[in-house]
Amino acid sequence: MSLIETHELRRVYDLDSGRVVALDHASLSVEKGDFVAVMGPSGSGKSTFMNLIGCLDKPTSGHYRLAGTAVESLDANGLARLRNREIGFVFQQFNLLPRIDALGNVELPMVYAGVDKKTRRERALHALGRVGLAERAHHRPMQLSGGQQQRVAIARALVNSPSLLLADEPTGALDSRTAIEILALFQELNREGVTIVLVTHDADVGRHARRLIRFKDGKILEDHRQTPLDARELLVAETAA
Amino acid sequence: MRFVEAIRSALSAIAANALRSLLTMLGIVIGVAAVIAMVAIGSGARNLVDQQIRSLGANLAIVTPGNVTQGGARLGAGASSTLTDEDADAIRREIDGVTAAAPFVQGTVQVIAGGNNWGTRIYAIDLDWFAAREWDVATGRTFDPEEVRRGDIVVILGQTVAKNLFGEEDPIDQVVRVRNVPFRVIGVMAAKGQSAFGQDQDDVIFVPLDAGRRRVIGRNYAKDRSVGSIFVKFANEEDIEPGIENMTTLLRQRHRVIGDQEDDFSIRNLTEIANTASASANTLSMLLAAVAAVSLLVGGIGIMNIMLVSVTERTREIGLRLAVGARPRDILSQFLIEATTLSTIGGALGVALGAGAAYLVARIAGWPSLVSPNAVIIAVGFSALVGIFFGFYPAQRAAKLDPIEALRRE
């Protein structure tokens, strides 16, 4: 059984200007442990696809199973629970809560999972350790650099041990070197077994995935495996130069 | 999310916008402070009135001499003593619900004991006095029936008189001279404090009715059996009104007042006077409570307004919370708890402010005030309710947000 299975997934928006088919009969599956880049220009349907895969939205028609659960049959509470357990989100704008420190931000998904305070603290510290920020646990987002903030967001995404890490333009707000560092972290996590779906419009970013899916006009245009560019090597090369 | 954590998170959200939160609370603070202060002052005033009713004696009416017309000249009330202790006996005997009818004569005298002397009021009374006024001796004893019947020269002192004449000494069995008549002290009354009119009710001495009439006060009471006034005590409050009517009929008969001739006496319902005062104190508190309720309402609207602003400002936060697994009702309760925490803190501040104001009024104006635990509980509870009521709509708006839209919002 694949982690993600979509069948004829379709999403239609009824706007004032008429009906817009944002996603048209998308069928694909993603295996556990894969690293998939979803690419395409704006309006290609990649964001709609991500919202559906991320259980933030429901398809107009078609079927979607995530880790064996039929998503289209769930209500708002069921979707919330599925997001909480199975998906970790990483956003372009980090979306950290400014009032609470890194540790508190990482704890947030566990708060809604009903994990007790002590366990939360331990797991959040461990997750921060995984992204190399254990010493910054009590810094507030404002006191961290962009790259560090994104690492906190990644730790937050990992903390409930979800089956899928869903990243939406995770390097879009970072400078190129920091972007490569974040990609290196993704590759490292992927090697440890985390399934990653990364949505981007940037071809350089997409080259770091093992599989590339390209959308155009709401349809899957291209879907192939590739030899990923190793971000660690890029960093070493850059430091040497 | 657990409740304690939700409150802690609400507190940090409130603290993040401390000034704004404080200004938002102000409506509630003022409303609650008004309720607390007004209820405190109002119930203090009511307590004062109650106390005065109690110190007077409950269910009491007083019969006083009225106008007398002598040869075409109408003399003012009290100019002539038209009442007698036989009238008192008749009232006691014939009027339903009367438990005591206490005729008395009063005057002002100088009391001498050894080297000390003291000017005070003297009441010449019979045994019913003690029942009518609900007042007894603290030390010694009251008159026995024989002493009253014979008009023995014995005296009971009020606390103030006892203190001024004898200091710490025990006055019982000492002799005091009143108008050169040596009275033996047989008792000291219990302390009664100030009257409704600020008079020291303990600055008084009591002697048997006939002793007073014959040997001390004299004056208009030469006609042996006449008395100044009669206190009439009823068993129940409902007995008073019909009792007063019956007394009027009875006394008109006894005094041979006929037809449309004016009464030569007047009867006042003292309990009613006190009740009226109490009722106006009540009306005042109700009015103030209404004002306070309006200001709580305004405060509630202020909270709703600021919560709507907060929901808009924190749309992305809401989107993120939804993305990481918050259910709509988690968001609802988060904002509801925030609104309620805000209003409850406002309520608590209001209680403190109101209690302080009540205390200040009590100190400055010399009014008694009473911050009742009930009023505090109701005020805080009510402000929490205001938070829930006015917080619900903004919270519901937050909970209904679409996570995708919310995350995209700048």
Side-chain angles (χ1 to χ4, degrees):
Chain A
M1 187 188 63
S2 304
L3 177 62
I4 293 174
E5 282 177 62
T6 73
H7 180 71
E8 298 285 303
L9 213 52
R10 188 178 159 86
R11 182 68 169 96
V12 180
Y13 293 105
D14 283 308
L15 302 177
D16 296 338
S17 48
R19 282 162 63 96
V20 175
V21 181
L23 192 68
D24 199 10
H25 300 101
S27 299
L28 59 76
S29 56
V30 174
E31 301 304 317
K32 201 168 271 186
D34 209 347
F35 186 169
V36 183
V38 175
M39 297 196 56
S42 62
S44 63
K46 66 176 194 302
S47 292
T48 306
F49 180 72
M50 193 211 76
N51 290 338
L52 289 172
I53 295 294
C55 304
L56 290 167
D57 196 8
K58 286 166 87 169
T60 311
S61 66
H63 304 287
Y64 169 35
R65 296 178 80 84
L66 174 64
T69 307
V71 175
E72 63 272 10
S73 63
L74 296 174
D75 62 0
N77 289 337
L79 288 174
R81 178 180 301 205
L82 198 61
R83 287 196 296 267
N84 186 243
R85 291 185 181 171
E86 304 292 351
I87 303 169
F89 286 95
V90 179
F91 302 97
Q92 181 174 2
Q93 296 301 336
F94 324 137
N95 282 339
L96 299 176
L97 301 188
R99 291 194 315 272
I100 47 184
D101 62 13
L103 197 65
N105 269 288
V106 177
E107 283 184 27
L108 196 61
M110 292 187 284
V111 168
Y112 294 112
V115 178
D116 69 84
K117 185 97 189 158
K118 192 164 162 282
T119 315
R120 262 177 12 211
R121 190 122 292 204
E122 285 166 7
R123 277 166 57 182
L125 272 170
H126 180 249
L128 279 171
R130 268 179 99 177
V131 299
L133 281 179
E135 301 84 49
R136 309 281 167 140
H138 295 292
H139 288 232
R140 293 195 174 198
M142 289 290 284
Q143 300 164 312
L144 297 170
S145 71
Q148 288 170 331
Q149 288 188 50
Q150 194 60 300
R151 282 168 190 271
V152 173
I154 293 168
R156 179 179 65 194
L158 292 171
V159 80
N160 266 352
S161 307
S163 42
L164 174 65
L165 191 72
L166 194 51
D168 183 13
E169 300 280 7
T171 58
L174 303 173
D175 63 70
S176 59
R177 186 182 163 86
T178 314
I180 294 169
E181 284 173 6
I182 293 296
L183 289 168
L185 177 60
F186 277 135
Q187 286 183 325
E188 190 188 323
L189 292 169
N190 180 241
R191 274 193 295 276
E192 290 167 12
V194 179
T195 314
I196 300 173
V197 172
L198 188 157
V199 180
T200 183
H201 70 279
D202 185 341
D204 288 340
V205 172
R207 275 206 293 262
H208 293 82
R210 297 166 188 260
R211 176 181 174 191
L212 196 142
I213 300 171
R214 199 182 296 277
F215 277 86
K216 196 177 182 224
D217 300 329
K219 292 193 175 70
I220 297 172
L221 186 72
E222 194 186 333
D223 181 356
H224 64 83
R225 305 207 69 84
Q226 62 183 14
T227 310
L229 205 59
D230 191 336
R232 240 181 346 183
E233 282 172 14
L234 282 179
L235 284 174
V236 172
E238 209 170 293
T239 313
Chain B
M1 207 186 319
R2 278 183 211 88
F3 190 65
V4 180
E5 279 177 47
I7 286 182
R8 197 173 304 147
S9 143
L11 285 174
S12 94
I14 289 165
N17 276 307
L19 180 64
R20 191 171 85 179
S21 305
L22 198 69
L23 290 174
T24 306
M25 282 181 221
L26 215 52
I28 299 281
V29 173
I30 291 170
V32 169
V35 173
I36 294 293
M38 294 318 165
V39 169
I41 293 165
S43 65
R46 200 159 53 244
N47 256 28
L48 185 69
V49 171
D50 284 349
Q51 208 180 331
Q52 284 163 1
I53 295 172
R54 268 199 305 279
S55 88
L56 200 63
N59 304 334
L60 210 57
I62 187 167
V63 186
T64 52
N67 310 322
V68 198
T69 308
Q70 281 179 352
R74 292 178 68 218
L75 306 177
S80 163
S81 41
T82 56
L83 298 169
T84 67
D85 46 3
E86 282 156 349
D87 288 335
D89 289 339
I91 290 169
R92 197 182 297 134
R93 216 169 40 235
E94 291 180 30
I95 307 298
D96 286 340
V98 170
T99 57
F104 66 94
V105 175
Q106 59 174 322
T108 313
V109 292
Q110 205 69 18
V111 188
I112 302 158
N116 292 330
N117 71 94
W118 183 254
T120 189
R121 279 168 301 122
I122 182 170
Y123 279 83
I125 59 173
D126 76 358
L127 288 176
D128 269 12
W129 175 273
F130 301 99
R133 293 295 312 273
E134 295 173 25
W135 197 1
D136 208 345
V137 289
T139 57
R141 59 178 178 85
T142 53
F143 308 123
D144 70 33
E146 278 304 296
E147 284 169 335
V148 173
R149 195 182 59 76
R150 293 193 302 255
D152 284 358
I153 45 175
V154 289
V155 65
I156 301 173
L157 305 180
Q159 290 273 350
T160 305
V161 178
K163 211 162 288 164
N164 278 289
L165 291 180
F166 295 100
E168 295 303 305
E169 225 179 307
D170 181 13
I172 306 293
D173 283 333
Q174 306 265 21
V175 171
V176 298
R177 303 181 76 82
V178 182
R179 299 243 166 96
N180 276 328
V181 182
F183 282 84
R184 186 165 59 89
V185 179
I186 61 163
V188 176
M189 296 300 277
K192 194 122 190 171
Q194 285 199 341
S195 76
F197 313 103
Q199 209 175 26
D200 179 4
Q201 298 184 89
D202 297 319
D203 189 2
V204 68
I205 65 174
F206 297 100
V207 298
L209 188 55
D210 276 336
R213 276 197 295 219
R214 289 189 202 132
R215 295 173 179 267
V216 183
I217 305 171
R219 197 171 65 116
N220 282 335
Y221 306 102
K223 196 172 87 183
D224 231 11
R225 311 232 38 147
S226 76
V227 296
S229 312
I230 305 170
F231 274 126
V232 182
K233 186 176 176 58
F234 292 86
N236 302 301
E237 202 174 330
E238 305 83 65
D239 294 333
I240 303 178
E241 280 308 319
I244 286 176
E245 262 178 56
N246 293 339
M247 278 196 288
T248 306
T249 314
L250 177 72
L251 290 177
R252 280 177 76 91
Q253 267 172 19
R254 291 180 56 84
H255 295 185
R256 299 195 170 76
V257 182
I258 45 163
D260 56 0
Q261 261 185 317
E262 248 181 299
D263 296 344
D264 63 350
F265 57 89
S266 77
I267 306 176
R268 276 176 300 154
N269 182 345
L270 294 178
T271 300
E272 189 181 52
I273 293 168
N275 282 350
T276 307
S278 175
S280 65
N282 264 336
T283 311
L284 193 70
S285 336
M286 292 300 289
L287 200 71
L288 296 166
V291 171
V294 168
S295 88
L296 274 181
L297 190 77
V298 173
I301 293 168
I303 284 184
M304 175 145 82
N305 182 33
I306 219 66
M307 289 310 294
L308 283 171
V309 170
S310 178
V311 168
T312 307
E313 277 179 355
R314 286 153 66 190
T315 300
R316 276 175 80 93
E317 174 189 328
I318 296 163
L320 174 86
R321 286 178 182 273
L322 288 168
V324 301
R327 290 160 301 178
R329 73 172 132 129
D330 292 324
I331 302 295
L332 182 84
S333 63
Q334 182 191 340
F335 280 90
L336 214 48
I337 286 170
E338 212 169 297
T340 309
T341 306
L342 199 63
S343 69
T344 308
I345 292 174
L349 289 177
V351 166
L353 196 70
Y359 176 75
L360 223 65
V361 168
R363 281 293 292 273
I364 293 170
W367 272 27
S369 82
L370 210 83
V371 178
S372 74
N374 272 351
V376 170
I377 292 166
I378 290 170
V380 173
F382 202 75
S383 44
L385 280 180
V386 164
I388 292 171
F389 184 80
F390 288 98
F392 190 79
Y393 174 67
Q396 203 188 28
R397 245 166 85 144
K400 278 184 174 168
L401 282 173
D402 174 38
I404 300 167
E405 288 292 320
L407 280 167
R408 204 175 289 157
R409 199 86 57 87
E410 279 311 309

